[in-house]
Amino acid sequence: MHLSLFPSLSRASRVASLRAPLRRCTLKRPLTTAASRACTKCGAALPTALPLCTACKFIAPVQPHTTSRDVLAQHVEPGENPFRVDPQALRAAFLRAQQVCHPDAWASAPVQSQRLAGEYSALINHAYRTLSSPLARAEEILRDHGRDTKEHDQLDDPELVMGIMETRERIEEGNEAVREEITRTNKEHMKACVARLEEHIANEDWDAAKKEATKLNYLETIDAAARGIDHH
Protein backbone atom coordinates (compact mmCIF):
# COMPACT_ATOMS: atom_id res chain seq x y z
CA MET A 1 0.00 0.00 0.00
CA HIS A 2 1.52 3.30 -1.09
CA LEU A 3 1.50 6.44 1.03
CA SER A 4 0.01 9.47 -0.70
CA LEU A 5 1.34 12.69 0.75
CA PHE A 6 0.56 14.84 -2.30
CA PRO A 7 -2.42 13.24 -4.05
CA SER A 8 -3.08 14.39 -7.64
CA LEU A 9 -0.47 17.17 -7.57
CA SER A 10 2.01 18.07 -10.31
CA ARG A 11 5.74 18.16 -9.47
CA ALA A 12 5.66 21.96 -9.37
CA SER A 13 2.67 21.89 -7.05
CA ARG A 14 4.46 19.45 -4.80
CA VAL A 15 7.40 21.82 -4.48
CA ALA A 16 5.02 24.65 -3.58
CA SER A 17 3.26 22.43 -1.06
CA LEU A 18 6.58 21.46 0.53
CA ARG A 19 7.59 25.10 0.80
CA ALA A 20 4.30 25.99 2.51
CA PRO A 21 4.59 26.66 6.24
CA LEU A 22 3.98 23.80 8.64
CA ARG A 23 1.58 24.45 11.49
CA ARG A 24 2.22 22.96 14.90
CA CYS A 25 -0.08 22.86 17.93
CA THR A 26 0.49 25.51 20.61
CA LEU A 27 -1.11 26.22 23.97
CA LYS A 28 -3.41 29.21 23.96
CA ARG A 29 -2.80 30.04 27.60
CA PRO A 30 0.54 30.64 29.28
CA LEU A 31 2.37 28.23 31.52
CA THR A 32 2.93 29.02 35.18
CA THR A 33 4.89 28.37 38.34
CA ALA A 34 4.92 29.58 41.94
CA ALA A 35 6.85 32.71 42.84
CA SER A 36 8.14 30.93 45.97
CA ARG A 37 8.15 27.38 47.33
CA ALA A 38 5.76 28.23 50.21
CA CYS A 39 1.97 28.37 50.12
CA THR A 40 0.78 31.98 50.12
CA LYS A 41 -2.29 30.99 52.14
CA CYS A 42 -1.04 28.69 54.94
CA GLY A 43 2.73 29.03 54.63
CA ALA A 44 3.32 25.30 54.21
CA ALA A 45 6.15 24.15 51.96
CA LEU A 46 4.94 23.36 48.45
CA PRO A 47 5.77 19.86 47.19
CA THR A 48 6.66 21.10 43.69
CA ALA A 49 7.37 24.37 41.88
CA LEU A 50 3.65 24.70 41.15
CA PRO A 51 1.40 26.88 43.37
CA LEU A 52 -0.67 23.87 44.54
CA CYS A 53 -0.75 23.29 48.30
CA THR A 54 -1.78 19.79 49.34
CA ALA A 55 -1.83 20.88 53.01
CA CYS A 56 -4.65 23.45 52.81
CA LYS A 57 -5.95 22.56 49.32
CA PHE A 58 -5.22 26.04 47.97
CA ILE A 59 -4.42 26.52 44.29
CA ALA A 60 -3.30 29.86 42.87
CA PRO A 61 -4.74 30.76 39.46
CA VAL A 62 -2.69 30.22 36.32
CA GLN A 63 -0.23 33.08 35.79
CA PRO A 64 1.42 34.18 32.52
CA HIS A 65 4.98 34.37 31.23
CA THR A 66 6.38 31.06 32.38
CA THR A 67 8.26 28.40 30.42
CA SER A 68 7.98 24.64 30.43
CA ARG A 69 11.18 24.51 32.47
CA ASP A 70 9.52 26.62 35.16
CA VAL A 71 6.55 24.27 35.35
CA LEU A 72 8.78 21.26 35.99
CA ALA A 73 11.50 23.13 37.91
CA GLN A 74 14.14 22.33 35.30
CA HIS A 75 16.03 25.57 35.75
CA VAL A 76 19.11 26.54 33.74
CA GLU A 77 22.11 27.94 35.57
CA PRO A 78 24.06 30.87 34.08
CA GLY A 79 26.36 29.62 31.35
CA GLU A 80 24.42 26.39 30.79
CA ASN A 81 22.90 25.56 27.42
CA PRO A 82 19.08 25.83 27.78
CA PHE A 83 18.64 23.25 25.03
CA ARG A 84 20.10 20.43 27.10
CA VAL A 85 17.89 18.39 29.42
CA ASP A 86 18.44 15.54 31.86
CA PRO A 87 15.84 12.94 30.79
CA GLN A 88 15.83 11.14 34.14
CA ALA A 89 15.46 14.34 36.18
CA LEU A 90 12.77 15.55 33.79
CA ARG A 91 10.80 12.32 34.11
CA ALA A 92 11.07 12.37 37.92
CA ALA A 93 9.87 16.00 38.06
CA PHE A 94 6.97 15.19 35.74
CA LEU A 95 5.81 12.28 37.90
CA ARG A 96 6.07 14.36 41.12
CA ALA A 97 4.09 17.21 39.60
CA GLN A 98 1.37 14.93 38.23
CA GLN A 99 1.06 13.22 41.60
CA VAL A 100 0.29 16.58 43.20
CA CYS A 101 -2.43 17.23 40.59
CA HIS A 102 -3.95 13.75 40.72
CA PRO A 103 -7.78 13.87 40.96
CA ASP A 104 -7.71 11.73 44.13
CA ALA A 105 -5.68 14.43 45.91
CA TRP A 106 -8.37 17.03 45.16
CA ALA A 107 -11.54 14.93 45.41
CA SER A 108 -12.67 16.71 48.59
CA ALA A 109 -11.58 20.19 47.45
CA PRO A 110 -13.98 22.86 46.14
CA VAL A 111 -15.06 22.52 42.53
CA GLN A 112 -12.91 25.49 41.46
CA SER A 113 -9.81 23.88 42.98
CA GLN A 114 -10.60 20.62 41.22
CA ARG A 115 -10.90 22.52 37.94
CA LEU A 116 -7.60 24.35 38.49
CA ALA A 117 -5.87 21.07 39.36
CA GLY A 118 -7.07 19.69 36.03
CA GLU A 119 -5.71 22.73 34.21
CA TYR A 120 -2.33 22.36 35.88
CA SER A 121 -2.29 18.68 34.98
CA ALA A 122 -2.73 19.64 31.32
CA LEU A 123 0.06 22.23 31.61
CA ILE A 124 2.36 19.66 33.16
CA ASN A 125 1.70 17.24 30.30
CA HIS A 126 2.41 20.00 27.78
CA ALA A 127 5.63 20.99 29.54
CA TYR A 128 6.85 17.40 29.60
CA ARG A 129 6.10 16.88 25.91
CA THR A 130 7.85 20.15 25.07
CA LEU A 131 11.02 19.41 27.02
CA SER A 132 11.12 15.81 25.76
CA SER A 133 11.07 16.92 22.11
CA PRO A 134 14.20 18.59 20.67
CA LEU A 135 12.09 20.52 18.16
CA ALA A 136 9.44 21.71 20.62
CA ARG A 137 12.15 22.57 23.16
CA ALA A 138 14.05 24.62 20.58
CA GLU A 139 10.88 26.38 19.44
CA GLU A 140 10.10 27.50 22.99
CA ILE A 141 13.65 28.82 23.45
CA LEU A 142 13.45 30.64 20.14
CA ARG A 143 10.12 32.24 21.06
CA ASP A 144 11.73 33.53 24.26
CA HIS A 145 14.30 35.25 22.05
CA GLY A 146 11.86 36.75 19.56
CA ARG A 147 12.12 34.05 16.89
CA ASP A 148 8.71 32.45 16.43
CA THR A 149 8.92 29.41 14.16
CA LYS A 150 5.26 28.49 14.16
CA GLU A 151 3.47 30.36 11.42
CA HIS A 152 5.40 31.30 8.29
CA ASP A 153 8.80 29.63 8.12
CA GLN A 154 9.95 27.96 4.91
CA LEU A 155 13.13 26.21 3.89
CA ASP A 156 15.37 28.56 1.90
CA ASP A 157 17.75 25.82 0.68
CA PRO A 158 16.58 24.77 -2.83
CA GLU A 159 18.79 21.68 -2.87
CA LEU A 160 17.43 20.51 0.47
CA VAL A 161 13.86 21.22 -0.64
CA MET A 162 14.31 19.07 -3.74
CA GLY A 163 15.94 16.32 -1.69
CA ILE A 164 13.01 16.22 0.74
CA MET A 165 10.51 16.25 -2.10
CA GLU A 166 12.25 13.34 -3.82
CA THR A 167 12.34 11.43 -0.55
CA ARG A 168 8.60 11.92 -0.18
CA GLU A 169 8.09 10.59 -3.70
CA ARG A 170 10.17 7.52 -2.82
CA ILE A 171 7.97 6.98 0.24
CA GLU A 172 4.84 7.13 -1.90
CA GLU A 173 6.18 4.77 -4.51
CA GLY A 174 8.27 2.44 -2.36
CA ASN A 175 7.55 -0.71 -0.40
CA GLU A 176 8.09 -1.35 3.30
CA ALA A 177 11.81 -2.06 2.84
CA VAL A 178 12.29 1.29 1.10
CA ARG A 179 10.42 3.14 3.84
CA GLU A 180 12.51 1.41 6.52
CA GLU A 181 15.72 2.44 4.74
CA ILE A 182 14.47 6.03 4.46
CA THR A 183 13.58 6.01 8.16
CA ARG A 184 17.10 4.89 9.13
CA THR A 185 18.80 7.45 6.90
CA ASN A 186 16.50 10.25 7.97
CA LYS A 187 17.15 9.46 11.65
CA GLU A 188 20.83 10.20 11.06
CA HIS A 189 19.95 13.50 9.37
CA MET A 190 17.72 14.40 12.33
CA LYS A 191 20.45 13.50 14.81
CA ALA A 192 22.95 15.75 13.01
CA CYS A 193 20.36 18.52 12.80
CA VAL A 194 19.72 18.36 16.56
CA ALA A 195 23.48 18.55 17.22
CA ARG A 196 23.78 21.69 15.09
CA LEU A 197 20.70 23.15 16.76
CA GLU A 198 22.23 22.60 20.20
CA GLU A 199 25.44 24.30 19.07
CA HIS A 200 23.62 27.33 17.62
CA ILE A 201 21.61 27.77 20.83
CA ALA A 202 24.77 27.45 22.94
CA ASN A 203 26.32 30.22 20.83
CA GLU A 204 23.11 32.28 21.00
CA ASP A 205 23.01 32.38 17.22
CA TRP A 206 19.23 32.62 17.14
CA ASP A 207 18.80 33.13 13.40
CA ALA A 208 20.89 30.04 12.62
CA ALA A 209 19.01 28.09 15.30
CA LYS A 210 15.70 29.11 13.77
CA LYS A 211 16.78 27.87 10.32
CA GLU A 212 17.93 24.58 11.84
CA ALA A 213 14.65 24.18 13.72
CA THR A 214 12.73 24.72 10.49
CA LYS A 215 14.87 22.05 8.83
CA LEU A 216 14.26 19.65 11.72
CA ASN A 217 10.53 20.23 11.37
CA TYR A 218 10.64 19.11 7.75
CA LEU A 219 12.81 16.11 8.60
CA GLU A 220 10.24 15.09 11.21
CA THR A 221 7.55 15.13 8.52
CA ILE A 222 9.68 12.72 6.50
CA ASP A 223 10.08 10.47 9.53
CA ALA A 224 6.35 10.48 10.18
CA ALA A 225 5.49 9.79 6.54
CA ALA A 226 7.97 6.93 6.28
CA ARG A 227 6.54 5.33 9.42
CA GLY A 228 2.94 6.02 8.41
CA ILE A 229 2.05 8.19 11.41
CA ASP A 230 0.67 11.69 11.85
CA HIS A 231 3.10 14.57 12.33
CA HIS A 232 1.97 17.07 14.98
Side-chain angles (χ1 to χ4, degrees):
M1 180 178 179
H2 291 178
L3 298 175
S4 181
L5 299 180
F6 297 97
S8 304
L9 292 180
S10 66
R11 187 178 182 86
S13 296
R14 293 184 183 200
V15 173
S17 178
L18 183 59
R19 287 182 178 275
L22 297 177
R23 288 185 171 270
R24 295 175 62 84
C25 180
T26 59
L27 279 179
K28 292 187 177 180
R29 74 180 308 166
L31 304 177
T32 185
T33 185
S36 68
R37 299 300 295 271
C39 176
T40 57
K41 183 177 180 180
C42 72
L46 296 174
T48 70
L50 301 173
L52 290 83
C53 180
T54 53
C56 70
K57 300 300 182 184
F58 173 74
I59 304 182
V62 175
Q63 299 296 317
H65 311 305
T66 305
T67 68
S68 296
R69 282 187 176 275
D70 292 322
V71 172
L72 294 176
Q74 301 296 294
H75 303 302
V76 179
E77 298 297 328
E80 290 184 344
N81 188 339
F83 185 72
R84 294 179 178 175
V85 296
D86 181 335
Q88 291 185 336
L90 177 62
R91 180 66 179 175
F94 167 70
L95 293 176
R96 284 196 303 271
Q98 279 294 17
Q99 185 178 24
V100 170
C101 293
H102 194 278
D104 290 348
W106 299 91
S108 61
V111 174
Q112 182 180 10
S113 295
Q114 294 181 36
R115 178 182 59 78
L116 287 172
E119 290 185 8
Y120 276 113
S121 180
L123 294 178
I124 291 165
N125 285 332
H126 173 82
Y128 183 68
R129 287 194 302 269
T130 296
L131 295 178
S132 298
S133 162
L135 178 57
R137 192 163 68 242
E139 288 176 333
E140 183 169 271
I141 294 169
L142 288 167
R143 281 197 302 274
D144 289 342
H145 291 85
R147 308 299 198 282
D148 194 335
T149 63
K150 296 294 186 181
E151 296 297 334
H152 45 68
D153 287 341
Q154 303 175 25
L155 286 173
D156 56 5
D157 184 337
E159 183 177 353
L160 180 61
V161 168
M162 291 302 298
I164 292 176
M165 187 193 72
E166 290 171 0
T167 300
R168 281 184 159 175
E169 290 179 342
R170 288 181 60 203
I171 292 171
E172 291 180 37
E173 299 167 359
N175 55 26
E176 183 176 352
V178 170
R179 292 194 291 272
E180 288 179 353
E181 185 274 329
I182 289 173
T183 298
R184 288 194 297 270
T185 302
N186 194 62
K187 288 286 188 185
E188 292 302 314
H189 291 317
M190 291 170 63
K191 182 178 179 180
C193 189
V194 169
R196 291 190 298 269
L197 187 53
E198 179 176 337
E199 181 179 0
H200 292 322
I201 291 175
N203 295 331
E204 299 186 356
D205 189 344
W206 307 121
D207 290 335
K210 180 178 178 179
K211 290 180 180 179
E212 208 65 46
T214 301
K215 185 183 300 183
L216 181 58
N217 196 359
Y218 279 89
L219 291 175
E220 285 195 357
T221 67
I222 292 295
D223 180 68
R227 293 191 294 132
I229 62 175
D230 291 332
H231 175 245
H232 298 290

